[in-house]
């Protein structure tokens, strides 16, 4: 549990129980977030608490008075928030935490941002509303990171552009297409590098039925394997938003459909399924 220094808060009142606390969020280009709490949270909240789903990880941020009677909490980019989904709560000094609902999310600084290449890692935090209307933070922390750019779907192949952060592309660099359910099965795709930018083409003809995950090997076989993903924008879940056409392949088992998609973690993959 990571806890920043607490601040005193007013006592709990019935107003707190009657109204749902709401948080407006402002994101900065470095990966930090500022939360302004309005509504009943003013009556008794001492902390803004973030809890990572599926774990016991918790981060408590002190709430301090801000303009217009609001309470403010700050999550600097330097405070580590491991990768995952973090549910947000208002924690009163003398009561149970309550789930926060989202107000206005100002995410303009996340659009087309370019992280500091010298940082050695990429920090991404995107606030969003869950399907139940609650506030959750989607967090990524990757070192190094391969950011997917434009995708070009062609008749028998997928071409893509990307950029590497936190590492260097060497002459031995290549892309790797790895079968998700048979990790030992990996195909190699050559890349063309220009500084930290790269281009590669994945031929569908060599892929069998299943899901194939795309990786970058910036130093070749001797270096790290870096998942290719699209993180540097203001969209928390790419899968339902970014859709791409599928092409029909002729395989020994019959016709199949192949095409790229983004996973629930915004990683780039290719799926091959039997037609029909």
């Amino acid at each position: 549990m990571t806890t920043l220094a607490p601040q005193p808060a007013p006592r709990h009142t019935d107003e707190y129980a009657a109204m749902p606390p709401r948080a407006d969020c402002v994101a900065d280009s470095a990966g930090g977030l500022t939360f302004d709490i309005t509504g009943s949270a003013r009556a008794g909240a001492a902390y803004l608490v973030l809890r990572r789903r599926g774990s016991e990880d918790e981060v408590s941020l002190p709430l301090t008075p801000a303009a217009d009677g609001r309470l403010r909490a700050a999550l600097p980019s330097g405070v580590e928030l491991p990768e995952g989904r973090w549910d947000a709560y208002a924690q009163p000094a003398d009561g149970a935490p309550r789930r926060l609902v989202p107000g206005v999310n100002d995410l303009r600084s996340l659009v087309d941002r370019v992280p500091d290449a010298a940082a050695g890692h990429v920090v991404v935090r995107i606030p969003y509303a869950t399907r139940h209307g609650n506030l959750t933070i989607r967090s990524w922390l990757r070192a190094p990171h391969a950011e997917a750019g434009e995708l070009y779907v062609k008749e028998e192949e997928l071409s893509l552009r990307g950029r590497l952060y936190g590492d260097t592309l060497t002459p031995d660099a290549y892309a790797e297409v790895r079968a998700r359910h048979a990790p030992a099965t990996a195909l190699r795709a050559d890349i063309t590098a220009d500084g930290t930018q790269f281009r590669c083409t994945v031929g569908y003809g060599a892929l069998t039925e299943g899901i194939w995950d795309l990786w970058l090997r910036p130093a070749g076989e001797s270096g790290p394997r870096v998942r290719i993903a699209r993180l540097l924008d203001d969209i928390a879940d790419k899968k339902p938003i970014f859709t791409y056409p599928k092409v029909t392949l002729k395989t020994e088992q019959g016709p199949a459909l192949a095409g790229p998609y983004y996973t629930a973690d915004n990683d780039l993959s290719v799926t091959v399924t039997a037609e029909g």
Side-chain angles (χ1 to χ4, degrees):
M1 172 177 173
T2 302
T3 303
L4 303 185
Q7 298 289 330
R11 293 182 60 82
H12 176 75
T13 70
D14 291 339
E15 180 191 7
Y16 179 80
M19 297 176 59
R22 186 180 74 251
D24 296 338
C25 297
V26 179
D28 64 47
S29 60
L33 289 174
T34 300
F35 304 85
D36 279 349
I37 311 296
T38 61
S40 60
R42 292 177 298 181
Y47 302 98
L48 187 148
V49 178
L50 301 175
R51 294 176 177 172
R52 184 158 68 120
R53 294 183 192 174
S55 76
E56 297 182 356
D57 293 346
E58 184 175 290
V59 173
S60 295
L61 307 171
L63 286 164
T64 58
D68 301 325
R70 297 182 175 191
L71 294 175
R72 176 168 295 173
L75 176 66
S77 59
V79 174
E80 184 172 324
L81 206 64
E83 193 161 318
R85 298 179 189 268
W86 294 76
D87 297 328
Y89 298 81
Q91 172 68 63
D94 57 354
R98 293 191 64 195
R99 205 67 167 84
L100 283 168
V101 298
V104 176
N105 288 336
D106 184 351
L107 309 181
R108 290 172 293 177
S109 65
L110 301 183
V111 179
D112 296 326
R113 74 184 183 106
V114 179
D116 182 4
H121 61 267
V122 168
V123 175
V124 178
R125 285 91 174 256
I126 305 177
Y128 71 97
T130 70
R131 61 182 178 181
H132 299 297
N134 297 315
L135 176 63
T136 293
I137 310 302
R138 187 66 175 91
S139 175
W140 290 267
L141 178 61
R142 298 201 172 177
H145 167 58
E147 176 73 6
E150 298 91 346
L151 303 185
Y152 304 93
V153 178
K154 302 179 181 179
E155 185 175 349
E156 297 181 350
E157 62 188 26
L158 168 69
S159 295
L160 68 99
R161 298 175 182 267
R163 182 186 293 270
L164 178 64
Y165 295 92
D167 207 340
T168 302
L169 290 167
T170 71
D172 296 324
Y174 64 91
E176 190 174 81
V177 189
R178 182 171 290 269
R180 182 176 301 176
H181 301 296
T185 303
L187 304 177
R188 177 170 173 163
D190 294 335
I191 71 168
T192 301
D194 181 8
T196 60
Q197 299 185 64
F198 64 90
R199 292 181 296 170
C200 71
T201 298
V202 177
Y204 291 144
L207 306 181
T208 57
E209 187 173 348
I211 298 174
W212 295 80
D213 298 326
L214 274 64
W215 301 78
L216 182 66
R217 303 295 297 266
E221 295 182 0
S222 62
R225 181 181 291 114
V226 183
R227 193 70 165 93
I228 299 176
R230 182 162 182 163
L231 306 180
L232 300 178
D233 57 27
D234 60 344
I235 302 174
D237 291 297
K238 309 291 191 299
K239 190 173 183 178
I241 305 298
F242 290 85
T243 58
Y244 299 93
K246 293 185 177 181
V247 300
T248 300
L249 306 177
K250 294 180 180 180
T251 70
E252 294 180 356
Q253 293 74 34
L257 295 176
Y261 78 102
Y262 285 105
T263 71
D265 291 324
N266 292 352
D267 297 323
L268 182 59
S269 296
V270 170
T271 180
V272 179
T273 57
E275 190 173 28

